[in-house]
């Protein structure tokens, strides 16, 4: 699972600027993410889907885009990514789930007509 980003140029602008301005903090933050990922038996695809679900729950369009992009790079089925948003309907509500679906479809072919 490719969650550690070593080159700040690969990050969105604000995060990249933060990483350049505070490299020691960024390194520790990055190491924490890696340690959390390695802390249990969950397989990489499931971790990606869980992170997507957390991003949807946090209503973070940027994080949803990030985890969808990474999921697609890791060959996660786009339908599985979309199902995470569908599963959020009873917990988060229909409007938030529809927003999440639109954010997911921003990066998949499903949103194109």
């Amino acid at each position: 699972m490719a969650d550690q980003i070593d080159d700040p140029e690969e990050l969105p602008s604000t995060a990249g600027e933060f990483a350049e301005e505070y490299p020691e903090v960024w390194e520790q933050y990055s190491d924490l993410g890696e340690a959390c990922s390695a802390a249990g038996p969950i397989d990489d695809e499931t971790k990606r889907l869980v992170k997507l679900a957390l991003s949807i729950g946090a209503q973070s369009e940027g994080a949803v885009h990030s985890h969808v992009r990474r999921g697609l790079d890791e060959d996660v089925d786009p339908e599985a990514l979309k199902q995470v948003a569908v599963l959020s309907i009873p917990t988060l509500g229909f409007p938030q789930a529809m927003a999440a679906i639109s954010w997911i479809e921003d990066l998949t072919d499903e949103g194109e007509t």
Side-chain angles (χ1 to χ4, degrees), residues 38-105:
I42 298 174
D43 66 85
D44 288 346
E45 182 171 333
T46 303
K47 285 185 229 179
R48 178 65 58 218
L49 296 173
V50 168
K51 287 183 167 209
L52 175 59
L54 293 167
S55 300
I56 291 169
Q59 301 180 16
S60 175
E61 181 177 2
V64 169
H65 282 163
S66 176
H67 289 293
V68 168
R69 190 176 301 108
R70 292 177 191 186
L72 293 172
D73 288 347
E74 295 162 359
D75 296 322
V76 175
D77 183 343
E79 284 300 314
L81 298 168
K82 192 172 175 181
Q83 185 181 5
V84 173
V86 173
L87 288 168
S88 76
I89 292 170
T91 304
L92 301 176
F94 193 77
Q96 183 57 35
M98 294 304 101
I101 288 172
S102 75
W103 299 337
I104 292 165
E105 289 180 343

